[in-house]
Structures are given as structure tokens and as C-alpha cells.
Amino acid sequence: MSFLDCVMSHQNLQPEHPLMGASQGCRLPMKPPSCSLFFVGILWLLATIVTAYSCPTTCHCTDRNGVVVQCTSRNLEMIPPDLPKDTVVLLLSSNHIRHVTKEAFADLHHLKELDLSHNAIETVEAGAFQAISEGLRSLDLSNNHLTSLPKDAFAKLHAPVRLSHNPWHCECSLQEVLRELRLDPETVNEVSCHTSVQDEYVGQTVIQVLDSGINFCNFHHKTTDVAMFVAMFCWFSMVTAYVIYYVKHNQEEARRHMEYLKSLPSTSYISKDYDTASSVF
């Protein structure tokens, strides 16, 4: 039964006069089963549509073969949690976002373009882009405050990534991330070492340094070896100092004990005095 049929049957079943009996008119059933189910289905469908296409209050959403969510320059400090599940383009640039959590894009399986540029992002959790890695075609993290990235931050990601204009610290972990990453070719030469395990590479392009044969992981291992050697040397020095102190302390105690024993009267002298005292009494 259609919605129109339910309305028409509802109107046709109304009695023409309140005093008319059952034989002269039709009584309206209290809850027509078919109509009730129909109305429930309509409400469920409307709720589903509203949920799927709900737009964050601080953003603007448009439908272009999928939802385009425009959240640029909205003074956001975090990624909105109520993003439409059919979002294909998400623009979050020029805000104050500091952290990217692994739950931020967990439900956005249709996302193709993600712009997080010109924020204050300092950390990206491991697996933050895993849920969108298969369909994503563009990721922009340029102009943020990133110094390093976890190794699994871009797991299974095939999209080109923009990482330019971040204060990168060039060391082993960054090198391992970049090896698994597809950098955007237009901005690859703008990814530079702001700091480094070796000061001579500060200010240089990361890719050029790595292409020259430099391996930051070797520096890391050397630094670790030196630290271990210093720690072992300090430990050995402390043990040696303790042993020397212990020996000297025991020697001093032994010397004092011997002097004490020498200061005691001899046994023969004590026995003689005892015999004299006994004879007197």
C-alpha cells in the first residue's frame, strides 16, 4: 500500500456524522498495520539520509558526486568528528589543528582528497590514514609543525603526499618513513632538514642528502654505541671505586682491631693478679 493509498483509506473510513452507527459508516481502525510499517520505513529512511549527509556546523558541504566538505579557515583546533560518511573531498587547511588521531578518518572510506596544510600539526598517530589509504588520491600536510612521523603513519598509502615546509629533524626514523612514501613531485625539493643528527646537513633537501648515499641510521647506531660505551665505562669505574673503598675500609677496621687487642692486658698478668687476690682473702 502506497502513502497516497493510506491517506485516502484514512479519509474514506471516517464516518459522515458522529451519530452514525456501524451499519451506516465505517469505523477507522486504530492502527492500520500496513500504514504503520510504511511510516516507520519512511522515518528510518529519513534518519539514514540525515546521518549520511550531516554536515559539521562550522563547515560548508556540497554534493558533487559525493560530499565536498569545506572547513578552510574556521579556527578549528581539532578535526570535526561528525563528518559525512560519503565525504570525497575534505578541506581543513588554515586552521589550528595540532594532532591527527587514528580515529579521525576511520569512517571516511570514500575519501579521495585530504588537505591539512597550513595548520599547527605536531603529531600524527600511527595508522592515522590507514582507513582511507586505498581510495585516497591526494594528501597535503605541508606548512605544519611536523618534525618526525611514526613509521606506520602512512601504511598502505599510495597517494602522493606533500610534506614541504615542516621543521623536519633528519634522522633514522624519518629516513625509514620516506623510503615507504610517495612524495609529491612538485614539492619534493621543499622538504628540508631543519635539524639533523649531523649539523652539516641542516638546511639541505632531505632527498638530495639521501640520494648522495648518506644513511642517517648509521649515525644513529654509532651514537648508540658511543652511549653504551660511556655507560659501561661509568659502571666499571663505579664498581672499581667501590672495591677500592671496601678494601681500604676493611684494612682500616683490621688495623683498629689489632691496636685494640694490643691495648688489652696480657692473660698471664691477669691470672697473676687473680691468684694474689685469692691468697689475701
Side-chain angles (χ1 to χ4, degrees):
M1 179 182 294
S2 66
F3 179 74
L4 182 58
D5 292 336
C6 285
V7 175
M8 293 301 294
S9 63
H10 179 81
Q11 292 177 351
N12 292 335
L13 291 173
Q14 294 291 343
E16 296 180 359
H17 192 277
L19 299 179
M20 290 176 64
S23 61
Q24 295 179 344
C26 297
R27 287 186 293 181
L28 177 66
M30 294 299 293
K31 293 182 179 179
S34 58
C35 291
S36 298
L37 293 175
F38 181 79
F39 288 133
V40 170
I42 290 294
L43 292 175
W44 178 84
L45 181 60
L46 290 174
T48 303
I49 294 174
V50 170
T51 302
Y53 292 96
S54 61
C55 187
T57 56
T58 55
C59 305
H60 176 69
C61 299
T62 55
D63 192 351
R64 302 174 185 173
N65 296 325
V67 182
V68 177
V69 183
Q70 171 66 262
C71 302
T72 303
S73 302
R74 302 301 173 97
N75 294 320
L76 298 177
E77 295 184 355
M78 60 179 295
I79 298 171
D82 52 346
L83 294 166
K85 293 183 178 181
D86 287 342
T87 300
V88 293
V89 177
L90 179 56
L91 306 176
L92 290 164
S93 62
S94 302
N95 284 291
H96 308 294
I97 300 170
R98 297 181 59 187
H99 308 288
V100 180
T101 64
K102 61 182 179 181
E103 298 87 6
F105 313 110
D107 297 325
L108 306 184
H109 302 292
H110 303 285
L111 193 62
K112 296 181 179 179
E113 180 181 342
L114 177 58
D115 187 356
L116 289 163
S117 63
H118 294 89
N119 275 281
I121 298 174
E122 299 174 349
T123 58
V124 176
E125 291 186 2
F129 306 105
Q130 185 172 359
I132 58 176
S133 60
E134 296 297 330
L136 199 64
R137 297 293 176 265
S138 175
L139 174 59
D140 195 344
L141 286 167
S142 62
N143 294 280
N144 279 286
H145 299 166
L146 292 167
T147 59
S148 63
L149 290 167
K151 186 175 182 180
D152 297 330
F154 304 101
K156 300 180 181 179
L157 186 67
H158 305 291
V161 183
R162 294 192 175 195
L163 297 175
S164 56
H165 302 293
N166 279 283
W168 296 111
H169 177 63
C170 291
E171 40 80 38
C172 184
S173 62
L174 180 63
Q175 174 179 313
E176 292 179 346
V177 170
L178 295 181
R179 280 180 176 176
E180 305 296 329
L181 199 60
R182 178 186 171 189
L183 291 176
D184 176 64
E186 296 181 1
T187 60
V188 65
N189 291 324
E190 298 173 3
V191 182
S192 303
C193 298
H194 184 72
T195 57
S196 175
V197 292
Q198 293 288 314
D199 293 338
E200 58 187 291
Y201 302 116
V202 173
Q204 296 189 30
T205 302
V206 178
I207 297 302
Q208 292 180 350
V209 173
L210 296 179
D211 287 345
S212 66
I214 299 300
N215 190 338
F216 289 115
C217 294
N218 288 340
F219 297 136
H220 175 73
H221 294 320
K222 289 180 180 178
T223 303
T224 303
D225 292 342
V226 171
M228 291 181 62
F229 175 78
V230 172
M232 292 180 65
F233 177 78
C234 292
W235 178 84
F236 180 77
S237 300
M238 291 176 63
V239 171
T240 303
Y242 176 76
V243 171
I244 293 174
Y245 168 78
Y246 180 78
V247 171
K248 287 185 176 181
H249 179 74
N250 284 352
Q251 289 177 345
E252 184 66 20
E253 288 294 326
R255 185 183 63 79
R256 291 178 181 177
H257 185 66
M258 290 299 296
E259 290 179 353
Y260 172 75
L261 292 177
K262 289 179 180 179
S263 65
L264 295 175
S266 62
T267 305
S268 60
Y269 181 78
I270 294 174
S271 300
K272 183 179 179 181
D273 291 343
Y274 178 78
D275 293 340
T276 304
S278 299
S279 62
V280 171
F281 291 102

